[in-house]
């Protein structure tokens, strides 16, 4: 039987079939083994009885052979006596005069032959090879030898000399215990084997009958005691699964199956109760979801109005602000202004430019949230871009007394990226580093190719004040520069000012370009901003702000349920672009 067949019988079939197979196989093996053992032991007892009979017949046969020899000796003595005559020799002591009558039905044949057949008359020699073989084994030390053939049971026993035997066999120089001869007895086995065969037939018949009855009993037990309740529970479960929830199990066996049916019914009642409760909760949730959808719609519309207002007002503010900056430049170039007036004009120009930077930051945030930024990829060298930004930032760094330097690894290849957005990232990071680095400090911008060969990183490090751990989780959020994690104002950022938009814009631009930005900083030990970007940007990337209505975004945002599809414009969506603002 193959493994697949055994697996199908024991593991991939019905409970009833498995029980019948296991019970039937076990009972068959048990009955076959027990009856076979009984038949084998019965045959052993029969053959042991044959040996006992042969042992009992040994002494009568020896006596019978000695008596015959005595009678022949007596006849010979009578025929040869002289006038003086003589007495017959007396039987040896120990022989009984009661002869055991040997029925031909009990003994098929017997013989007594000498231990030295070579020097004995023919009548005292073995008549077949089996007798010689038995004699050799007895001469080697065995006392009894048995041999079974098809029709007879052969028994060979040693005849050893005792004190009486020595008196008669003195001419052989025999001592007590010496081997004088062998008694051979042959008992018939035809009738015995017939009786054994009949007994085995009855045993086999009884075994088969017992096995059939046991298998029938096992079938009835499995069918009506085990399988029937299980099938009933299965039918009830299927009816309940089809919607007949009022169906109940009805098992009255008074055993564990009845207890199981009670537990099954309790479970069904509990499920119905839970179903009603879930239905009520679902009704409440549906109402709340509808209400939430309406609120989300209102919030979406409000947020859209806010975005439109910011975009419109920013553009409207830039028009007069450009005029203010233009006229301030004209005034600054006049020669008839006093020093005080020139100082006032310089204040106007600086405030106007700060206001312009703030407006540009607000416009960038609005573009990011509206998902209106697009990637404009081009081929350029990173070293040239960093050197241009160093030259642009050098006046600001020199004015504050901060040393500014850039370094690009020679293995960085030509990039296929958006140079405008990458420039805006670098400008924001450099301006922040210079702003928060005290005079005499150092700001470094380095770039290198990573081990994968497909990604590069730009690291902007400074020796400034650093960022406390509780503030590091907030520096990339919008409008959070002036607050710590506990909500308190930060004296350092209050001193330097800023809106808190620069780093959030940097993060969204890095995401839009397919990368990320991380921060490493310790308070009082400076900061390291690490930007990792791919060498070749995917030009079909779009900002996640498209979740407002377009689900084709490739940033793998999870789809929202319909009730929550209308939501506020995301505040942390990856976007990019802008005007290179440096205000944070």
């Amino acid at each position: 039987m193959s493994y697949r067949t055994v697996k199908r019988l024991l593991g991939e079939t019905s409970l009833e079939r498995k029980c019948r197979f296991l019970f039937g196989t076990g009972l068959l093996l048990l009955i076959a083994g027990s009856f076979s053992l009984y038949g084998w032991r019965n045959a052993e007892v029969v053959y042991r009885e044959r040996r006992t009979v042969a042992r009992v017949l040994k002494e009568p046969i020896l006596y019978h052979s000695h008596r015959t020899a005595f009678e022949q000796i007596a006849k010979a003595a009578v025929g040869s006596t002289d006038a003086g005559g003589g007495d017959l020799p007396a039987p040896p002591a120990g022989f009984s005069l009661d002869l055991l009558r040997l029925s031909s039905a009990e003994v098929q044949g017997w013989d007594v032959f000498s231990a030295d057949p070579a020097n004995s008359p023919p009548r005292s020699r073995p008549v077949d090879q089996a007798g010689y073989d038995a004699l050799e084994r007895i001469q080697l030390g065995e006392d009894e030898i048995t041999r079974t053939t098809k029709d007879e049971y052969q028994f060979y026993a040693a005849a050893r000399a005792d004190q009486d035997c020595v008196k008669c066999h003195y001419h052989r120089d025999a001592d007590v215990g010496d081997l004088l001869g062998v008694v051979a007895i042959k008992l018939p086995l035809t009738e015995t084997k017939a009786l054994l065969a009949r007994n085995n037939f009855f045993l086999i018949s009884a075994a088969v009958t017992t096995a059939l009855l046991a298998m029938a009993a096992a079938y009835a037990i499995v069918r009506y005691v085990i399988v029937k309740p299980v099938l009933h529970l299965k039918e009830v479960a299927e009816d309940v699964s089809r919607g007949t929830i009022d169906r109940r199990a009805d098992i009255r066996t008074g055993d564990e199956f009845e207890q199981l049916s009670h537990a099954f019914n309790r479970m069904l009642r509990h499920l119905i109760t839970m179903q009603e409760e879930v239905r009520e909760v679902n009704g409440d949730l549906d109402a709340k979801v509808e209400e939430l959808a309406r609120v989300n719609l209102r919030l979406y519309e409000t947020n859209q109005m806010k975005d439109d207002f910011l975009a419109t007002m920013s553009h409207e503010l830039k028009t007069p602000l450009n005029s203010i900056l233009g006229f301030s430049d004209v005034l600054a170039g006049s020669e008839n202004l006093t020093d005080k007036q020139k100082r006032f004009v310089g204040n106007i120009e600086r405030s106007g430019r700060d206001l312009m930077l703030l407006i540009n930051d607000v416009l960038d945030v609005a573009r990011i949230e509206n998902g209106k930024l697009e990637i404009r990829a081009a081929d350029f060298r990173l070293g040239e871009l960093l050197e241009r930004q160093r030259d642009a930032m050098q006046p600001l760094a020199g004015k504050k007394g901060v040393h500014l330097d850039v370094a690009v690894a020679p293995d960085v290849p030509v990039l296929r990226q958006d140079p405008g957005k990458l420039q805006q990232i670098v400008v924001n990071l450099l301006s922040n580093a210079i702003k928060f680095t005290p005079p005499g400090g150092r700001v470094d911008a380095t770039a290198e190719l990573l081990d994968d060969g497909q990604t590069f990183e730009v690291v902007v490090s400074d020796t400034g004040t650093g960022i406390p751990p509780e503030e590091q989780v907030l520096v990339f959020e919008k409008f959070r520069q002036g607050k710590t994690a506990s909500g308190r104002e930060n004296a350092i950022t209050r001193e330097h000012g800023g809106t808190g938009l620069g780093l959030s814009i940097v993060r969204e631009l890095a995401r839009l370009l397919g990368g990320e930005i991380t921060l490493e900083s310790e308070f009082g030990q400076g900061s390291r901003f690490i930007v990792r970007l791919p060498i070749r940007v995917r030009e079909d990337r779009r900002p996640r702000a498209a979740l407002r209505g377009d689900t084709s975004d490739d940033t793998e945002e999870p789809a929202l349920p319909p009730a929550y599809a209308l939501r506020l414009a995301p505040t942390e969506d990856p976007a990019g672009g802008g005007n290179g603002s440096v205000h944070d």
Side-chain angles (χ1 to χ4, degrees), residues 201-334:
F201 172 75
F202 285 123
L203 286 176
I204 295 174
S205 300
V208 173
T209 303
T210 304
L212 292 177
L213 292 176
M215 292 178 67
Y219 171 79
I221 293 173
V222 171
R223 180 70 177 176
Y224 297 102
V225 177
I226 300 177
V227 177
K228 186 176 180 180
V230 174
L231 291 177
H232 177 69
L233 291 176
K234 176 186 175 184
E235 293 175 358
V236 174
E238 290 178 350
D239 291 342
V240 173
S241 65
R242 287 192 291 265
T244 310
I245 59 176
D246 57 345
R247 179 74 186 277
R248 295 294 181 269
D250 185 14
I251 300 177
R252 303 180 184 277
T253 56
D255 53 12
E256 287 78 3
F257 281 109
E258 183 173 352
Q259 299 176 7
L260 178 62
S261 67
H262 295 332
F264 190 78
N265 292 335
R266 288 194 298 270
M267 180 189 68
L268 290 178
R269 289 192 293 270
H270 181 68
L271 287 177
I272 293 175
T273 303
M274 292 296 296
Q275 187 180 17
E276 294 296 333
E277 294 177 358
V278 170
R279 187 178 294 111
E280 294 177 0
V281 172
N282 285 338
D284 295 339
L285 287 177
D286 290 340
K288 292 180 179 179
V289 167
E290 292 178 1
E291 181 180 358
L292 182 61
R294 290 192 294 270
V295 172
N296 283 340
L297 179 59
R298 290 195 296 270
L299 289 176
Y300 174 78
E301 294 174 349
T302 302
N303 190 69
Q304 186 66 38
M305 293 174 60
K306 181 262 298 182
D307 292 339
D308 295 340
F309 173 77
L310 286 177
T312 302
M313 290 302 298
S314 297
H315 283 288
E316 294 297 329
L317 288 174
K318 288 181 70 175
T319 301
L321 186 58
N322 286 327
S323 299
I324 294 174
L325 291 176
F327 284 114
S328 65
D329 289 337
V330 173
L331 289 175
S334 300

Side-chain angles (χ1 to χ4, degrees), residues 413-431:
V414 176
L415 305 182
R416 181 68 179 178
Q417 272 283 356
D418 189 326
K421 294 179 178 58
L422 182 57
Q423 174 181 323
Q424 188 174 356
I425 292 174
V426 174
V427 169
N428 274 279
L429 294 179
L430 289 178
S431 64

Side-chain angles (χ1 to χ4, degrees), residues 95-132:
F95 282 99
S96 174
L97 297 177
D98 296 330
L99 296 177
L100 177 63
R101 298 188 179 275
L102 302 176
S103 173
S104 60
E106 293 179 342
V107 180
Q108 184 169 323
W110 59 272
D111 193 7
V112 179
F113 48 86
S114 173
D116 186 12
N119 298 323
S120 301
R123 66 178 182 83
S124 298
R125 300 174 183 175
V127 296
D128 55 9
Q129 185 62 36
Y132 282 101

Side-chain angles (χ1 to χ4, degrees), residues 448-519:
E448 62 180 2
L449 185 67
L450 298 184
D451 294 337
D452 59 3
Q454 302 296 323
T455 308
F456 70 95
E457 69 176 16
V458 177
V459 180
V460 177
S461 59
D462 61 65
T463 59
T465 57
I467 303 174
E470 65 273 10
E471 297 184 27
Q472 293 181 14
V473 297
L474 302 174
V475 294
F476 293 106
E477 296 185 11
K478 291 186 288 292
F479 305 108
R480 299 300 294 270
Q481 181 200 30
K483 299 288 185 178
T484 64
S486 60
R488 296 176 298 180
E489 291 188 359
N490 191 324
I492 297 177
T493 56
R494 185 168 60 245
E495 175 185 354
H496 295 86
T499 62
L501 293 175
L503 289 179
S504 65
I505 294 174
V506 169
R507 181 183 62 177
E508 303 305 332
L509 291 177
R511 290 179 178 177
L512 177 64
L513 298 179
E516 61 179 359
I517 181 172
T518 57
L519 167 64

Side-chain angles (χ1 to χ4, degrees), residues 137-195:
R137 293 173 60 184
I138 290 175
Q139 287 175 341
L140 294 176
E142 297 185 38
D143 286 332
E144 294 180 351
I145 298 173
T146 59
R147 186 168 176 268
T148 303
T149 63
K150 181 178 180 181
D151 297 325
E152 63 182 10
Y153 180 84
Q154 299 176 1
F155 178 80
Y156 299 92
R160 301 187 183 276
D162 56 13
Q163 191 64 40
D164 293 331
C165 295
V166 173
K167 294 177 182 180
C168 293
H169 295 277
Y170 59 88
H171 57 281
R172 297 183 57 181
D173 297 330
D175 293 330
V176 177
D178 289 346
L179 179 65
L180 298 179
V182 176
V183 179
I185 303 174
K186 297 181 180 180
L187 301 177
L189 288 180
T190 303
E191 184 177 357
T192 301
K193 288 190 174 182
L195 292 175

